Amino acid sequence: MPAGPVVVLAGLLWLAISVWNLQREVSSIRELAFPVAAFVLTGGLSVCVVYVGYRLSTSPFEPAERWSIAGWAFAGLAAMVLLQVATLAIRAAEGRSIGEPQFPLLVVGGVGALAGYGIGELLVDVRRTAADAKEARDGMAFANSLLRHDVGNALQVILGQVDLLSTVDDERAQDAGERIKAQIEALYELTDDADAVTRVLTNEAGPEPRDVVEDIDSTAATIRDSFPNATVELDCHDSLLVSGTDAIKPAISNILNNAVEHTGSEPTVRITTSETDDVAVVRIADDGPGIPPAQREDIFRRGVTSDGGSNGLGLHIVSTLIERSGGSIHVEDSDLGGAAFVVELPLADG
């Protein structure tokens, strides 16, 4: 028999015992109010047990999961009843009058069954959530591996064909080949960034010393190539070692891309670095419309975009990547008139 109907039968049995107890009390007590009140309590708990049994039978859980939940319900009932029996036994051993134990046993049994059911369902939900999360991590890692392998092979083929263009005695063909080669290198960097993000999100990579200025220089060069009308000013250290992951670079790249794309046709972005105690501070400021103070925390939440949309993940992922490197990110006013994203990362030891 499935687990749900078994719990329903247990609830009906508990209800039958409650009815029997009501009949006993009615026959021995003239005042009906108290026996009826006792039955309302014990019978109500029994009906609740019947309901959770029905709920269990119609739940989306697998049969094994349903039996696990039912087991917790019966364990809760048994534990509470045994505790009550032990209490009564101790009182009897002390020579005290016990009275009629049926009522307290029915109450604690019903409460124990419902509490056990709740605990069992919660544990099954937790196990399911953990299994789903592991499946998602495994799927992300597999997709990343597939992407790097297949895209890398395709880029190698394209690169081989581009090399043929360099042998053609035609200046336009050679220029086209150089531009294609530059885009191929950008795609290689993109797959590397995707791999870095995946390894951080799947907890396969931890913080290690890295030069954040190299990440800034590389990202700024890519932005200048992709957006010729954008002005990217750098006021950074020659070198600044921080404790971070490979995902720091795509995180900075995302912030810089947002600053350029949401600012106007000829945006200006200024990146500066500084040190405060044991913290490296990277400040990315733009001359755009800015972000109102009331929205500055919300833009890092899942599903919120910096331009007021509701389908974004970019800044939420950026915040997650930086936090997993032991850092933080916040928004403040820019001295250029727009917004400034401030990233704080721990300096590397030594």
Side-chain angles (χ1 to χ4, degrees):
M1 181 179 293
V6 170
V7 175
V8 170
L9 289 176
L12 292 174
L13 175 61
W14 217 246
L15 179 62
I17 297 174
S18 299
V19 172
W20 168 78
N21 184 61
L22 172 64
Q23 293 174 340
R24 288 187 69 257
E25 291 186 341
V26 167
S27 62
S28 60
I29 302 176
R30 295 181 180 179
E31 180 62 49
L32 295 178
F34 295 111
V36 170
F39 175 73
V40 169
L41 180 57
T42 58
L45 289 172
S46 302
V47 170
C48 289
V49 174
V50 172
Y51 168 73
V52 297
Y54 167 76
R55 173 177 168 173
L56 184 61
S57 64
T58 59
S59 69
F61 298 125
E62 299 294 332
E65 294 173 329
R66 293 178 183 179
W67 274 113
S68 176
I69 296 172
W72 277 96
F74 289 125
L77 185 152
M80 294 298 290
V81 169
L82 289 175
L83 285 174
Q84 184 67 21
V85 168
T87 302
L88 296 174
I90 291 173
R91 285 195 170 273
E94 293 173 345
R96 300 186 183 187
S97 175
I98 296 177
E100 296 185 359
Q102 299 93 322
F103 174 64
L105 287 173
L106 287 170
V107 171
V108 298
V111 171
L114 295 175
Y117 177 89
I119 293 172
E121 188 173 275
L122 178 62
L123 289 176
V124 168
D125 279 335
V126 169
R127 293 194 195 104
R128 277 195 158 202
T129 301
D132 290 343
K134 184 179 184 303
E135 184 177 352
R137 287 196 303 269
D138 293 343
M140 185 186 300
F142 175 76
N144 174 63
S145 175
L146 189 64
L147 174 69
R148 286 177 57 82
H149 179 268
D150 290 355
V151 171
N153 288 342
L155 291 178
Q156 285 289 348
V157 173
I158 296 173
L159 195 59
Q161 298 301 311
V162 169
D163 288 338
L164 293 178
L165 292 177
S166 63
T167 63
V168 177
D169 189 14
D170 186 326
E171 185 175 347
R172 290 182 302 174
Q174 292 178 359
D175 289 342
E178 290 301 322
R179 287 195 297 270
I180 295 173
K181 187 176 292 186
Q183 291 301 312
I184 290 174
E185 292 176 355
L187 288 173
Y188 272 124
E189 288 188 10
L190 183 61
T191 58
D192 288 341
D193 290 347
D195 178 61
V197 170
T198 300
R199 288 190 294 108
V200 171
L201 294 180
T202 56
N203 296 319
E204 295 178 5
E208 58 185 20
R210 64 182 296 107
D211 189 353
V212 72
V213 175
E214 288 186 2
D215 295 333
I216 294 172
D217 289 340
S218 175
T219 301
T222 301
I223 291 295
R224 290 187 179 113
D225 290 339
S226 302
F227 300 92
N229 293 331
T231 300
V232 181
E233 303 174 356
L234 299 183
D235 183 11
C236 303
H237 292 66
D238 293 333
S239 176
L240 186 58
L241 288 179
V242 301
S243 175
T245 64
D246 291 341
I248 291 297
K249 180 182 174 183
I252 292 175
S253 176
N254 184 277
I255 298 171
L256 190 52
N257 267 289
N258 284 342
V260 172
E261 292 177 355
H262 298 158
T263 299
S265 58
E266 296 183 353
T268 297
V269 181
R270 181 180 298 150
I271 307 176
T272 60
T273 60
S274 60
E275 296 180 52
T276 303
D277 297 329
D278 295 330
V279 176
V281 181
V282 178
R283 196 169 185 271
I284 304 174
D286 62 55
D287 62 348
I291 300 174
Q295 299 179 12
R296 291 178 181 176
E297 292 186 6
D298 292 339
I299 61 174
F300 296 108
R301 295 178 181 173
R302 180 186 297 272
V304 178
T305 61
S306 57
D307 58 355
S310 60
N311 296 317
L313 282 175
L315 289 176
H316 171 72
I317 296 297
V318 166
S319 176
T320 301
L321 296 175
I322 292 173
E323 289 175 358
R324 293 194 180 185
S325 291
S328 64
I329 181 173
H330 67 273
V331 183
E332 59 187 35
D333 291 328
S334 165
D335 51 0
L336 296 176
F341 285 79
V342 182
V343 177
E344 297 183 352
L345 296 166
L347 291 172
D349 293 339

